[in-house]
Amino acid sequence: MDRFNSARSLVSALAPTRPVTCLRPAAAARASSYFVRNFPGEILYAVKTNPTPEILDAVYDAGVRRFDVASITEIEQITRRFPGARVSYMHPVKSRDAIGHAYFQYGVRDFALDSEAELEKILSATGNADDLNLLIRLAVPNFHAELDLSSKFGIEPLAGADLLFKSRSLARRLGVCFHVGSQCMSPSAYGTAIHMVRDLIVSSGVTLDIIDVGGGFPSAYPNMAPPPLNVYLGEIASALKTLPVSDVCEVWAEPGRALVAEAASTLVRVDLRRGSFLYINDGTYGSLFDAGVPGFIFPARAIRPKGSVPGQLMPFSFYGPTCDGLDFMKGPFMLPDDIGEGDYIEIGLTGAYGSTMRTHFNGFHSDEMAVLTDAPMLTMYRAGASTDWPSANRPLQQNAGKTS
Ligand SMILES: Cc1ncc(COP(=O)(O)O)c(C=O)c1O
């Protein structure tokens, strides 16, 4: 894969006519290494967030040996790429054939569930296996998250106590997992969820072998500056101390976004300008899904092939290339006021839920990729230090908006 020291060098060398996913594997390695060093338990990378091989390798090389998978395709990819890695099937709803395939063909033993019907499926599809690690997904508040994941999955505490009780004698190891919602802006959400687990242990009278705090750890975006990640980890560590569990109880986390959001940007070209609307060659059916209805505001910087003097910054919205009106990204994205057709824009922080969401809708699809060696446009992480964290008062590093 081609390597460049910046998106500007890439544009100078290639003048790409299609969108380019610009990978920064070093950023994935830095974030993964932080979690491996500082999280008080096991890190399972949520593969769905970005399954690009270069990113997976960076996460693995940083010491992550466990993976949260949602499908047989992800299981195949991980077991082929990293023989010996442990995969955990954390999707709470799976087909019978997928469960059987995972258990018998790939040796998967960790399964999440949030209903009795799923428990029955797991047992019958594995031939009533006696070596299962079962994790009951608890519904927890997602108030502090940008993306709510609580309506679709998770069992309410009352029913959860029953399911936990039933599962105890069927599981080799039994755990509870939850998801506080993606891009969780308040560390207290983890404390609240762990206290719900404590109440569940008390009401069910069941002992737990695993507590899985899920994903949800945030990244920095232009309109969102979350507290430093060490505050999240501190909240988790102190809430865990209140649980009535033994010393051998395992703690797991399934971060996605926090490990890889900084590890890619998307390079697009402007096809047309209409006032404060830019028609660009990638959109919500491509790598920019989260800029659509979820309304994420990504950092953006202009790259002018002709190197013209940058104008003042002003807010823009984007339209993607397809003919669907939903292919719209409101922003605002701050860019020079004289930007126009033929200029490029580097849209940063698209490493999480970016290129993995691309479709072929309207015939627009680009799998062009390159590796960039410069810094991400925003970061939660500072290079080099062993505790790489901005303190609560330290502003996040901002490189966005400027013309490169
Ligand atoms: C079961 C599960 N674990 C982990 C994640 C990763 O979450 P995040 O990217 O918010 O860290 C997700 C995201 O959808 C998920 O569904």
Side-chain angles (χ1 to χ4, degrees), residues 110-129:
D110 309 331
F111 293 91
L113 62 143
D114 63 1
S115 65
E116 278 195 38
E118 188 75 7
L119 177 61
E120 186 280 319
K121 257 199 274 174
I122 293 171
L123 292 173
S124 78
T126 60
N128 290 312

Side-chain angles (χ1 to χ4, degrees), residues 46 48-49 68 90 137 149 179 181-183 214-217 254-258 353:
K48 71 197 78 166
T49 321
D68 150 29
M90 301 308 293
R137 169 102 168 234
L149 299 176
H179 201 302
S182 204
Q183 184 67 11
F217 300 96
E254 307 161 22
R257 181 185 303 280
Y353 310 106

Side-chain angles (χ1 to χ4, degrees), residues 44-49 68-70 89-92 112 137 147 149 153 177-184 190 212-218 253-260 352-353:
L44 289 65
Y45 170 54
V47 174
K48 71 197 78 166
T49 321
D68 150 29
V69 294
Y89 208 161
M90 301 308 293
H91 194 309
R137 169 102 168 234
L147 296 176
L149 299 176
F153 299 121
C177 59
F178 57 78
H179 201 302
V180 295
S182 204
Q183 184 67 11
C184 175
Y190 290 90
D212 177 350
V213 302
F217 300 96
E254 307 161 22
R257 181 185 303 280
L259 300 197
V260 298
Y353 310 106

Side-chain angles (χ1 to χ4, degrees), residues 123-366:
L123 292 173
S124 78
T126 60
N128 290 312
D130 61 3
D131 57 355
L132 298 170
N133 305 317
L134 298 178
L135 289 111
I136 312 301
R137 169 102 168 234
L138 182 65
V140 299
N142 277 202
F143 302 142
H144 299 288
E146 281 302 300
L147 296 176
D148 189 325
L149 299 176
S150 64
S151 52
K152 188 165 176 183
F153 299 121
I155 190 163
E156 294 302 324
L158 207 57
D162 275 353
L163 185 56
L164 213 51
F165 191 79
K166 286 207 177 78
S167 305
R168 179 65 276 184
S169 58
L170 303 167
R172 181 178 59 182
R173 292 181 75 72
L174 180 66
V176 169
C177 59
F178 57 78
H179 201 302
V180 295
S182 204
Q183 184 67 11
C184 175
M185 293 297 288
S186 172
S188 68
Y190 290 90
T192 304
I194 292 169
H195 293 143
M196 287 177 68
V197 175
R198 183 188 58 201
D199 294 346
L200 191 63
I201 296 173
V202 172
S203 65
S204 64
V206 164
T207 53
L208 288 190
D209 309 306
I210 305 161
I211 311 286
D212 177 350
V213 302
F217 300 96
S219 291
Y221 297 92
N223 62 334
M224 285 187 267
L229 288 166
N230 60 355
V231 181
Y232 287 78
L233 301 192
E235 171 85 15
I236 290 169
S238 55
L240 287 173
K241 285 196 191 114
T242 69
L243 291 184
V245 291
S246 78
D247 290 348
V248 293
C249 180
E250 295 171 30
V251 180
W252 302 358
E254 307 161 22
R257 181 185 303 280
L259 300 197
V260 298
E262 297 177 16
S265 57
T266 304
L267 183 65
V268 301
R269 197 176 63 175
V270 178
D271 287 336
L272 182 86
R273 173 173 177 177
R274 190 179 291 167
S276 60
F277 295 92
L278 299 177
Y279 291 69
I280 60 176
N281 63 353
D282 202 2
T284 63
Y285 292 95
S287 297
L288 300 171
F289 177 86
D290 273 353
V293 172
F296 273 70
I297 299 174
F298 293 103
R301 66 181 160 208
I303 298 167
R304 337 288 292 274
K306 297 190 192 87
S308 58
V309 182
Q312 291 290 311
L313 296 183
M314 66 167 270
F316 286 93
S317 298
F318 297 154
Y319 279 114
T322 71
C323 55
D324 187 345
L326 281 177
D327 198 357
F328 173 65
M329 296 147 276
K330 186 162 184 273
F333 303 99
M334 300 304 292
L335 289 160
D337 59 5
D338 57 346
I339 194 164
E341 190 202 342
D343 285 334
Y344 290 84
I345 303 169
E346 184 182 6
I347 301 172
L349 277 290
T350 58
Y353 310 106
S355 56
T356 188
M357 311 283 273
R358 283 168 305 184
T359 73
H360 288 263
F361 184 45
N362 273 222
F364 295 106
H365 182 87
S366 171

